Amino acid sequence: YWADNLREPVLFSTMTQALIAAGDGVFIEMSPNPILLPPVEQGLQHAGQRGLLLASLRRNEPEQTSMLGSLGKLYESGYSVRWERLYPTGNHVKLPRYAWQEERFWYDAGDSEKVADSGIGMLGAKVEVAGKSTHVWNSGINFNTFPFLTDHRVQGTAMLPAAALVEMSLRMTKEVLGPGGYSLEGMKFASAITIPEEATKPFQAVANVDATGGISINFFSRGAEEDWQLHAQGHARLSAEIAPMTAPINISEIVAMTEPTSDGLSLYSDLADHGLGYGPSFQGIGKIWQLLAGTLGLLSAPESLVDEGYLIHPAILDSAFQLMLADLEDDSTTYIPVALERFQICRGANLQEPLWAYATREDQASGLTGNVCIIDADGQVVAEARGLKFQAMASDRAEAFKEWLYALDW
C-alpha cells in the first residue's frame, strides 16, 4: 500500500472536484482526527461552491460529543436521524400548545422616539390636523439623533439652545408661508428645554396662521406623565426682500490693522466660570477683536457638525450669540437668553467658507441687550439678530437648578 501510495498518483483533488461537480456538498471524514477536510475545503473554494464538512472524531475531544455534534449538524441540514438508535427506550411527548406571553417591561418614552429622526433638522415630522390654519410638528430630542446637543450645558445640565428654536422657527415659516425672505419678531424664551441624558424629550412645534398673513409660533415639551409645557413663542412673517439693518463691515481692513485681543480658548474658559459649558460642537469662535463699537469674532464650524438641511446650523448661530457674552464681569453670574426682538436671514451661508460674527452690547440692570450679525468674508451680512436679551439667572435658582430636574434612572 505504501509503495503504491508513493509511486502512483493519488488523484485526491481530481476525485474531490468530480464529487463537487456531481452535486455532492456534504463530506464526512471517518478518522481519529480530520486531516483531509482542509483539502476538500480548498476544492470547494476552487469550484466556487459551499459545502458541509464534518469530522467523526477529533483529537483530545470526547468521542461521543464529537460524533453527536456532527450528527446534529447533519440534522440541521435536513438529513433524517434514526432516533431509536440514539434512544432505544422512551416515548415521544408533545410540547405545550400555549404561546409565550411576550410581555415587555422596558421603559418606552412614547411615540416621540419614532419621529425623533423624521423630517428635516430638529423640527421633526409634520402631523396632519384638521383645518388649514394650524400646523403641528412632533419630534423627540435626544443625544442619539442630535449628538451635538450634549455640548450645550447650563449649570451642567444639557439644554436645547435658543438658537435651535430660532432655526426651527425659520423652517416652520418656510413650510407654511412658502419661499421668500423671513423675519422673526417678538420671540420670548420663557423657560429652558432640558434634555435627559438617556431618554427622549417629547417636543412639539405649533404654527397658527393669523389675520396678517404671518404665523404665531409656539414650542412645547413634556416629561414622562406630564402635561405639555410652553417654552417659547414668537411671530414670523414673509417679506419679498430682506435688507440688513447692519451696514457691511470691512473685515479685511480690521484684520490687517488690528491684532486679536483674545481667542476662543479664553472665552470658553471664562464662560465655564459663569456656568455655561460649551463642548467642541459649540466652540465655534476662534479669534476675537474688541473694537470701539462692538466685538468681532471669527466663526469656524467644528468638523463634528453635519449640515443636515438646516437653514442655519444651530451651533453656528449659538456661537454668534455667544459673542455677546465676551468680556463679562469677573463674577459667576450665569446669563441665559430670554428674548429676541427680530431675526432675519439676509442671504445663504456656506459652513465651509469663513464666517464672522459682530456683536454690540448694552449692559443694563435687568441684563444684557444687544445686536448680533453673521457676516461672510466679503463683509456682507448673512443673518441678523436685533434686540437679543440675556438675563442673569438668580444665584439661589442656579444652586437649586439640578434639584428641579427629574430623569429616569435604573
Side-chain angles (χ1 to χ4, degrees):
Y1 170 80
W2 289 111
D4 292 342
N5 189 62
L6 291 173
R7 299 177 62 185
E8 302 294 335
V10 178
L11 303 178
F12 184 82
S13 176
T14 304
M15 178 272 299
T16 301
Q17 293 298 322
L19 290 174
I20 295 173
D24 294 316
V26 179
F27 296 85
I28 304 175
E29 181 174 348
M30 308 294 292
S31 65
N33 190 62
I35 58 173
L36 299 178
L37 291 184
V40 174
E41 184 178 9
Q42 293 178 359
L44 288 169
Q45 295 176 350
H46 178 74
Q49 302 292 330
R50 301 178 65 179
L52 179 64
L53 307 179
L54 301 172
S56 59
L57 298 173
R58 292 185 180 275
R59 184 183 295 116
N60 298 326
E61 293 186 11
E63 291 86 349
Q64 187 177 27
T65 301
S66 298
M67 296 194 73
L68 291 180
S70 295
L71 180 64
K73 292 180 179 179
L74 282 172
Y75 181 64
E76 291 176 358
S77 300
Y79 289 86
S80 59
V81 175
R82 297 177 60 182
W83 298 106
E84 68 275 8
R85 299 294 301 271
L86 286 175
Y87 306 102
T89 60
N91 299 315
H92 292 284
V93 296
K94 294 182 178 180
L95 292 175
R97 294 183 180 273
Y98 62 83
W100 296 100
Q101 300 300 317
E102 297 184 356
E103 294 185 53
R104 291 181 75 252
F105 295 95
W106 189 253
Y107 174 80
D108 194 345
D111 293 338
S112 59
E113 291 186 2
K114 301 176 183 178
V115 299
D117 56 355
S118 303
I120 300 177
M122 282 184 282
L123 192 55
K126 192 172 184 180
V127 180
E128 185 176 355
V129 297
K132 298 182 178 180
S133 61
T134 300
H135 303 262
V136 179
W137 292 262
N138 274 345
S139 182
I141 306 298
N142 59 56
F143 296 140
N144 291 329
T145 309
F146 310 106
F148 69 94
L149 291 179
T150 191
D151 289 337
H152 185 276
R153 296 179 179 269
V154 178
Q155 298 291 341
T157 300
M159 290 187 179
L160 188 68
L165 299 177
V166 171
E167 195 282 332
M168 283 187 277
S169 298
L170 295 170
R171 175 70 59 184
M172 295 164 65
T173 308
K174 180 178 181 180
E175 292 199 19
V176 175
L177 301 182
Y182 315 110
S183 177
L184 305 180
E185 299 170 345
M187 292 205 71
K188 304 291 184 182
F189 309 108
S191 61
I193 302 176
T194 59
I195 307 174
E197 296 293 334
E198 299 180 0
T200 297
K201 185 82 167 191
F203 180 80
Q204 191 172 92
V206 181
N208 291 288
V209 180
D210 56 28
T212 65
I215 59 173
S216 61
I217 297 173
N218 297 276
F219 293 102
F220 303 84
S221 80
R222 68 177 179 183
E225 301 180 359
E226 294 180 0
D227 294 333
W228 289 101
Q229 177 185 358
L230 176 64
H231 292 278
Q233 56 188 155
H235 186 268
R237 61 181 177 86
L238 183 65
S239 177
E241 182 178 355
I242 294 292
M245 300 179 67
T246 304
I249 298 176
N250 194 333
I251 299 293
S252 57
E253 180 179 342
I254 294 175
V255 174
M257 297 181 61
T258 60
E259 292 292 330
T261 54
S262 61
D263 56 19
L265 293 177
S266 300
L267 172 65
Y268 293 114
S269 177
D270 293 341
L271 293 180
D273 294 337
H274 288 265
L276 300 174
Y278 294 108
S281 297
F282 282 85
Q283 294 183 1
I285 297 180
K287 299 177 181 179
I288 299 174
W289 285 259
Q290 288 289 352
L291 308 177
L292 292 177
T295 305
L296 179 68
L298 174 62
L299 295 177
S300 59
E303 297 180 357
S304 59
L305 290 185
V306 178
D307 188 2
E308 299 176 343
Y310 297 105
L311 294 178
I312 183 169
H313 201 289
I316 294 298
L317 182 57
D318 188 88
S319 296
F321 288 173
Q322 296 165 15
L323 203 59
M324 268 192 60
L325 303 179
D327 195 26
L328 291 174
E329 295 183 1
D330 295 333
D331 56 20
S332 58
T333 304
T334 301
Y335 289 93
I336 55 176
V338 294
L340 176 61
E341 290 183 3
R342 183 175 179 180
F343 183 87
Q344 59 187 22
I345 291 183
C346 306
R347 56 189 301 180
N350 185 355
L351 293 182
Q352 306 304 321
E353 297 179 356
L355 292 175
W356 300 76
Y358 180 74
T360 59
R361 188 182 81 200
E362 180 180 352
D363 295 1
Q364 301 172 343
S366 59
L368 312 174
T369 303
N371 305 320
V372 178
C373 59
I374 298 178
I375 309 166
D376 61 16
D378 296 328
Q380 300 298 316
V381 177
V382 172
E384 190 175 40
R386 304 194 70 84
L388 178 60
K389 183 175 182 179
F390 286 80
Q391 187 171 319
M393 181 185 293
S395 58
D396 56 343
R397 180 183 177 189
E399 293 175 1
F401 187 70
K402 291 186 178 181
E403 298 180 6
W404 299 355
L405 308 177
Y406 296 87
L408 180 70
D409 195 9
W410 292 92

